[in-house]
Amino acid sequence: AYEIVTESLAKGKNVVTANKKMIAENLAELIRLQKEHNVSLLYEGSTCGSIPIIRTLEEYYDNELLYSVSGIFNSSSNYIVSRIFKDNIDFDIALKQAQDLGFLETDPSLDLSGMDALYKACIIAAHAYGVFVKPETVLNHGIQNLNDYDIQYAKEKGVRIKTVSMVKKINDDAVTIFSMPQFIPKGHKLYFIENELNAVIVEASFSDQQFYMGKGAGGHPIGSAILSDISANLYGYRYEYKKYLNTKKMHYVTNIELEVYLRYFDEKNVQLFEFDKITERYYGPDSNYVVGTVKLENLLKHKDRLNSADVLMVWTGKWKVL
């Protein structure tokens, strides 16, 4: 896909695509090619389905002081956890239903691992803050290991588990980014976002908090975004990347601490992530868990282990800058 897009841009052709992986991994180079050949690359369909978040960030928030852009960016995983928590069905059944409805690929690993949501977060970071981040340098964790113990814990606490992506300004020149399951309490805006819906929460200085919701999976929602891009292209529309061209550059940092729940079987997995403080701990005959604080940079250091081990990590929503 990358070769086809770059070749088309180099030939002076405008391009519309929905390939979020290709965009997230190569955005800086794709912007260079657009400028060099005076062409337009539009990709609204790559991010959050039918929600026009890229164009909204480009146009409405072009000069706004953004505090954060967060939400449910992957509707496939949201469909699965919605069915589990709302309808009390098993993970495997919910997964099969999502595939049958066309919300998941035959290989669902990108959705379940949180990589799909991570690609979208990286794209949003570029349009919200002008920050280009390689996906492999950002934390992603998914719901592929979600089991009955995690579901029981969440229900006992009166919360739901949803994969949430966060792009957050932490000071005047720094942004942090991550994508992972989060405990969502009943009063939270994302609590009732069910099935194949996506949702985006934008917090800003002047416009305060705004909430966007729309379908994110299936041919029609993505098709509507692609059709909108094709129509906009006919009128000469192109992204201006104003935040990126700003003389004051933002950069990506990981110097934050998160409070997380970690369900595990092997004690080595707890020691690996170097918890700074543990506030809750449980040892059981079938599984164990801890709740505590851990540095984001430690999670990134062991990202591959985190995503390959039989563990589930869930963010409580609490964090602080170090």
Side-chain angles (χ1 to χ4, degrees):
Y2 175 69
E3 288 77 13
I4 294 172
V5 170
T6 55
E7 183 179 340
S8 298
L9 294 174
K11 290 180 178 179
K13 297 180 179 179
N14 296 329
V15 177
V16 171
T17 181
N19 190 323
K20 81 270 303 176
K21 183 177 186 293
M22 185 269 295
I23 296 294
E25 292 179 341
N26 302 284
L27 188 50
E29 173 64 11
L30 292 170
I31 291 175
R32 186 191 68 78
L33 287 170
Q34 290 177 72
K35 183 177 180 181
E36 179 181 341
H37 299 286
N38 192 29
V39 289
S40 173
L41 172 65
L42 301 180
Y43 41 85
E44 190 70 67
S46 70
T47 306
C48 298
S50 62
I51 301 173
I53 188 59
I54 296 176
R55 207 174 299 178
T56 300
L57 291 170
E58 279 284 315
E59 306 300 328
Y60 186 84
Y61 294 106
D62 60 342
N63 292 302
E64 174 67 289
L65 300 174
L66 293 176
Y67 295 141
S68 67
V69 184
S70 63
I72 298 170
F73 296 173
N74 180 266
S75 54
S76 305
S77 62
N78 193 54
Y79 178 89
I80 292 170
V81 294
S82 295
R83 298 287 290 155
I84 290 170
F85 280 90
K86 184 181 177 183
D87 301 319
N88 296 311
I89 66 174
D90 292 337
F91 183 97
D92 291 341
I93 296 174
L95 174 67
K96 181 64 166 54
Q97 289 179 351
Q99 289 177 318
D100 290 344
L101 290 167
F103 300 155
L104 273 173
E105 301 292 339
T106 304
D107 176 8
S109 58
L110 282 181
D111 294 301
L112 299 184
S113 67
M115 281 302 300
D116 177 88
L118 175 60
Y119 293 141
K120 296 170 183 176
C122 290
I123 294 170
I124 283 175
H127 289 276
Y129 295 105
V131 176
F132 293 160
V133 182
K134 289 292 186 181
E136 61 266 23
T137 68
V138 179
L139 178 69
N140 70 284
H141 187 55
I143 61 166
Q144 66 268 34
N145 291 330
L146 179 69
N147 68 22
D148 291 342
Y149 303 110
D150 309 313
I151 296 165
Q152 180 182 349
Y153 178 90
K155 288 182 176 180
E156 288 174 355
K157 300 292 184 179
V159 298
R160 291 179 177 175
I161 297 173
K162 293 181 179 289
T163 300
V164 175
S165 299
M166 175 64 70
V167 181
K168 188 171 184 66
K169 178 181 178 182
I170 64 171
N171 58 46
D172 287 342
D173 62 359
V175 173
T176 195
I177 309 166
F178 55 89
S179 184
M180 64 189 299
Q182 180 181 342
F183 289 132
I184 304 296
K186 197 167 186 178
H188 197 287
K189 284 183 170 60
L190 299 179
Y191 187 87
F192 291 109
I193 301 301
E194 305 286 8
N195 299 326
E196 71 272 28
L197 290 176
N198 279 166
V200 182
I201 301 171
V202 181
E203 294 191 70
S205 175
F206 303 120
S207 54
D208 202 5
Q209 188 179 93
Q210 295 189 337
F211 182 72
Y212 304 85
M213 179 183 71
K215 288 190 175 182
H220 289 155
I222 305 302
S224 72
I226 293 172
L227 181 60
S228 177
D229 275 349
I230 292 172
S231 176
N233 179 260
L234 293 174
Y235 290 94
Y237 178 78
R238 61 183 62 187
Y239 303 136
E240 295 185 47
Y241 303 102
K242 293 179 183 178
K243 299 290 178 75
Y244 168 64
L245 297 174
N246 194 324
T247 54
K248 183 177 181 180
K249 299 294 185 184
M250 301 286 284
H251 60 281
Y252 163 62
V253 298
T254 59
N255 60 322
I256 67 169
E257 186 176 71
L258 303 172
E259 183 182 68
V260 300
Y261 155 98
L262 177 69
R263 192 263 307 138
Y264 65 97
F265 299 101
D266 188 343
E267 193 67 28
K268 292 179 181 178
N269 288 321
V270 177
Q271 300 169 3
L272 188 67
F273 300 118
E274 303 171 46
F275 276 80
D276 295 308
K277 181 181 179 182
I278 292 177
T279 55
E280 187 178 345
R281 189 158 207 159
Y282 171 78
Y283 294 101
D286 300 310
S287 71
N288 316 301
Y289 72 79
V290 297
V291 177
T293 55
V294 61
K295 294 181 178 65
L296 178 57
E297 59 187 24
N298 286 342
L299 296 177
L300 276 168
K301 186 167 60 176
H302 302 290
K303 177 179 174 179
D304 291 342
R305 176 70 174 272
L306 174 63
N307 289 327
S308 61
D310 190 2
V311 302
L312 181 78
M313 182 171 284
V314 185
W315 182 36
T316 68
K318 296 179 180 179
W319 71 286
K320 70 175 182 180
V321 180
L322 297 174

